[in-house]
Amino acid sequence: QVQLVESGGGLVQAGGSLRLSCAASGHSFSSYTMGWFRQAPGKEREFVAAISWSGGRTSYADSVKGRFSISRDNAKNTVYLQMNSLKPEDTAVYYCARTWGTDVPSSPTHYNYWGRGTQVTVSS
């Protein structure tokens, strides 16, 4: 059974940093693209970043380019999201997700496993 468990969320002031982690189990982690999405209250879930199985390809939403960085450690079955220069508009629940293949998609419809999310709150 595939399990994805996010951690690292919290409350931070604007301009601060957080690093989210997503621990995966129950599948061949190193075979799949992994992604991060977020959902703010009253808004649709939106793409944040994704990383290919090898880490050789990454993709970012325009809103986080230059501030966020996605990485993975296949030996630890973990994917990370380093978030710097955080803004109040980054406040959301952040979800880790796994695709069914090796592309690096931004649509949530291409991801078939999801974690439960971790709350990130950025105060102004």
Side-chain angles (χ1 to χ4, degrees):
Q1 180 179 0
V2 176
Q3 285 193 318
L4 303 173
V5 180
E6 303 94 337
S7 61
L11 174 64
V12 64
Q13 288 189 332
S17 298
L18 283 175
R19 187 174 84 152
L20 305 183
S21 299
C22 172
S25 62
H27 69 289
S28 300
F29 176 79
S30 60
S31 299
Y32 298 95
T33 290
M34 299 295 295
W36 285 97
F37 290 77
R38 66 187 182 186
Q39 188 166 18
K43 295 188 177 181
E44 292 187 353
R45 191 167 297 189
E46 65 173 358
F47 172 74
V48 175
I51 187 167
S52 63
W53 66 273
S54 67
R57 287 184 293 159
T58 57
S59 177
Y60 295 93
D62 288 343
S63 59
V64 306
K65 277 181 183 176
R67 300 188 298 122
F68 291 11
S69 178
I70 189 171
S71 61
R72 66 189 297 161
D73 185 338
N74 287 342
K76 295 182 178 179
N77 287 358
T78 302
V79 61
Y80 305 98
L81 184 68
Q82 178 67 44
M83 305 186 295
N84 299 326
S85 302
L86 283 161
K87 305 175 181 180
E89 51 263 44
D90 294 319
T91 295
V93 176
Y94 283 70
Y95 297 91
C96 170
R98 197 207 84 175
T99 66
W100 60 65
T102 57
D103 288 339
V104 187
S106 59
S107 170
T109 60
H110 289 263
Y111 293 78
N112 55 344
Y113 291 100
W114 295 82
R116 292 191 174 187
T118 185
Q119 176 71 47
V120 171
T121 302
V122 184
S123 63
S124 58

